Amino acid sequence: MATNLNNPASNLQQQSILTLLDFSAEEIKQLLELAADMKNNPGAYYTHLAHRSLGMIFENASTRTRVSFEVAMTQMGGHSLFLSPRDMQIGRGEPIKDTAKVLSRYVDALMIRTNDHGKVEALADHADVPVINALTDLYHPCQALADLLTVQEQKGSFQGLKSAFIGDGNNVAHSWMIASVKMGMDAVLAAPEGYGPDPGVWKQIEQAAEQSGASVTRTRDPEEAAEGADVIYTDVWTSMGYEEEQAKRLAAFKGFMISEELTANAAKDYIFLHCLPAHREEEVAASVIDGPHSAVYDEAENRLHVQKAILASVIS
């Protein structure tokens, strides 16, 4: 796709990226193809976003998201601005509408990381530039695209694969399940009682699976989910904002740690994914995350290449 530098993904230009539910399998494939080309031929894109700017609104801490977006803009000749609520009037009560309208006059796209998905939707409704969801309480689409790129690299194809998410039915689980079924993988989510996915989001996942022909199931048995799995994914059991529930969650998730015993009946060449940061010997055994099946560092690197593809596609 490097031959079309002026318009790498024309059908995505000026389109906000809030959730992968809004995208077809073909559009996701297009982003993955572009990300792969950017990874293999970075020099072809060094000036693609010259004189373009990205406003980055962060309402919670970040390592991979902030660094990958900043480096992505730099490697394509653009510029990024880190914006925290304490440095902006939005932190003092300025309406989102006003913030969106004003920032749209300055930058070519906005990225936001926040706990409230409604805030991302409101920002997109009022902004005159594309808005990228860099994480909310419901979705993490950029992470899921990096996950897909990693699976594509490791497996060559999504067809015939079984994807298992074992752990908290959170935003990462939502987006990974959406990504899995959109690309035709059979997907299963294993979570203990009381920690399953959001009911409304799960209904959307089932609808996406029906459209793609993939199967999607839920279970409370991590061994059932891991059996025959080609991809096993987990996340921390206590996400940001839920620290006071840690002891309760540790008890509820007993038996859900991704261990060598749990993965014994997975596909022999399964790969392990984790969005990071990880708590070794909590949600995953050190022997798994640091072992031969782990692709977590490739997955983390792919955040950069996916962010580049997203930015090049939505910024005109």
Side-chain angles (χ1 to χ4, degrees):
M1 299 194 51
T3 57
N4 190 13
L5 292 180
N6 293 323
N7 198 2
S10 59
N11 59 322
L12 297 180
Q13 283 202 342
Q14 291 297 305
Q15 182 171 344
S16 291
I17 296 183
L18 307 186
T19 166
L20 292 185
L21 288 166
D22 298 332
F23 294 85
S24 68
E26 189 55 41
E27 288 172 324
I28 293 172
K29 272 184 203 175
Q30 188 178 28
L31 280 170
L32 295 179
E33 287 171 4
L34 180 57
D37 193 64
M38 289 175 149
K39 184 174 184 176
N40 295 322
N41 303 291
Y45 300 91
Y46 280 166
T47 60
H48 185 70
L49 292 184
H51 310 298
R52 302 290 194 274
S53 294
L54 171 70
M56 306 192 306
I57 303 172
F58 282 90
E59 293 194 337
N60 48 36
S62 168
T63 298
R64 281 148 291 275
T65 297
R66 178 176 176 180
V67 174
S68 60
F69 268 107
E70 287 197 11
V71 173
M73 286 298 291
T74 299
Q75 288 188 356
M76 291 188 291
H79 177 68
S80 58
L81 301 93
F82 174 79
L83 306 168
S84 73
R86 62 180 172 273
D87 300 324
M88 302 169 61
Q89 296 300 330
I90 195 172
R92 300 175 59 201
E94 181 176 59
I96 289 179
K97 176 181 178 180
D98 293 351
T99 298
K101 290 294 184 185
V102 170
L103 290 180
S104 295
R105 303 290 181 101
Y106 300 146
V107 301
D108 300 283
L110 288 167
M111 182 230 79
I112 181 170
R113 183 179 174 98
T114 178
N115 289 328
D116 182 1
H117 190 72
K119 187 173 290 188
V120 176
E121 293 177 327
L123 189 69
D125 284 343
H126 296 294
D128 299 314
V129 296
V131 172
I132 301 166
N133 173 7
L135 178 144
T136 67
D137 54 341
L138 290 182
Y139 304 106
H140 200 351
C142 297
Q143 177 66 55
L145 287 168
D147 303 334
L148 285 176
L149 181 59
T150 307
V151 173
Q152 182 172 275
E153 291 173 339
Q154 297 278 336
K155 297 295 184 181
S157 171
F158 301 110
Q159 297 307 308
L161 298 184
K162 177 184 176 181
S163 158
F165 189 98
I166 300 173
D168 189 16
N170 60 12
N171 50 0
V172 173
H174 291 163
S175 285
W176 176 241
M177 296 296 284
I178 294 165
S180 294
V181 300
K182 283 271 186 181
M183 303 314 291
M185 288 186 279
D186 292 330
V188 57
L189 188 153
E193 184 176 3
Y195 295 93
D198 176 89
V201 174
W202 184 256
K203 185 175 181 180
Q204 293 174 311
I205 292 169
E206 289 181 320
Q207 291 170 344
E210 186 176 349
Q211 292 170 359
S212 70
S215 71
V216 61
T217 56
R218 289 175 56 183
T219 179
R220 293 176 187 164
D221 183 352
E223 292 186 4
E224 177 186 343
E227 186 172 1
D230 300 284
V231 182
I232 295 179
Y233 200 146
T234 196
D235 188 12
V236 295
W237 294 341
T238 307
S239 300
M240 288 183 290
Y242 294 92
E243 289 81 4
E244 72 283 356
E245 298 180 8
Q246 184 171 9
K248 178 183 175 183
R249 284 173 172 262
L250 287 176
F253 283 89
K254 185 177 180 180
F256 278 76
M257 183 175 76
I258 310 301
S259 63
E260 293 189 55
E261 292 75 20
L262 182 63
T263 59
N265 292 321
K268 293 187 182 302
D269 60 347
Y270 86 91
I271 62 171
F272 172 73
L273 300 180
H274 192 305
C275 59
L276 301 179
H279 299 151
R280 286 166 173 77
E281 304 308 322
E282 191 168 303
E283 75 271 5
V284 59
S287 60
V288 172
I289 193 171
D290 298 320
H293 294 280
S294 178
V296 298
Y297 298 126
D298 291 332
E299 180 186 8
E301 178 192 342
N302 283 337
R303 290 293 303 278
L304 170 62
H305 309 300
V306 161
Q307 319 302 35
K308 289 170 74 173
I310 290 170
L311 292 166
S313 298
V314 303
I315 296 177
S316 59

